[in-house]
Amino acid sequence: MTAADRRMEIISILVVSGHVTSRELAQEFGVTRRTILHDVAALSYGYPVYTKPGEGGGIFIMDSYKPYCNTLTLSEQEKLMEMYTKAEGGDKEILKRVLRKYGADKLEL
């Protein structure tokens, strides 16, 4: 995975979750925390990402940043929700990310 690919994936993760730690990202991508912090610094020039130190801290993206929201049709959301309720493990987590990323802004999972 290139640095550019990793950075776009970081944005996708933040869009879905809103918050993540550098340690979690480093483990997920198999890189150091320093690499993740360099990625975040680079991303902060074009995206509303920021860091917060200490307890409850980490890497955040502004709540108002929703680039993909509401791009699924209602029938697509319903079908994916049906699949989500039947899914298990990793498949369920991937469907959750897709629904949060592309589904309705206030979608309850």
Side-chain angles (χ1 to χ4, degrees):
M1 173 178 287
T2 68
D5 293 335
R6 186 177 59 247
R7 290 171 183 171
M8 289 301 94
E9 187 62 24
I10 289 170
I11 292 297
S12 292
I13 290 168
L14 288 171
V15 165
V16 170
S17 67
H19 166 257
V20 69
T21 67
S22 58
R23 182 173 315 224
E24 292 168 334
L25 289 175
Q27 288 176 347
E28 181 161 338
F29 296 117
V31 297
T32 65
R33 289 177 65 204
R34 180 175 292 235
T35 298
I36 295 300
L37 294 176
H38 285 296
D39 288 342
V40 171
L43 287 168
S44 68
Y45 290 107
Y47 295 91
V49 297
Y50 61 96
T51 59
K52 180 178 161 187
E55 182 94 17
I59 304 162
F60 296 83
I61 194 161
M62 290 185 168
D63 289 336
S64 60
Y65 185 73
K66 303 287 183 192
Y68 313 112
C69 197
N70 298 320
T71 57
L72 291 175
T73 66
L74 183 58
S75 62
E76 290 169 337
Q77 286 181 51
E78 289 171 352
K79 190 61 173 175
L80 286 171
M81 282 297 293
E82 180 185 322
M83 293 167 63
Y84 174 79
T85 58
K86 295 176 184 176
E88 295 179 6
D91 290 342
K92 190 166 194 137
E93 184 58 34
I94 290 170
L95 283 168
K96 180 180 179 180
R97 282 187 180 184
V98 168
L99 284 164
R100 290 246 189 254
K101 186 174 179 180
Y102 298 104
D105 192 26
K106 304 293 184 203
L107 190 63
E108 294 290 327
L109 296 177

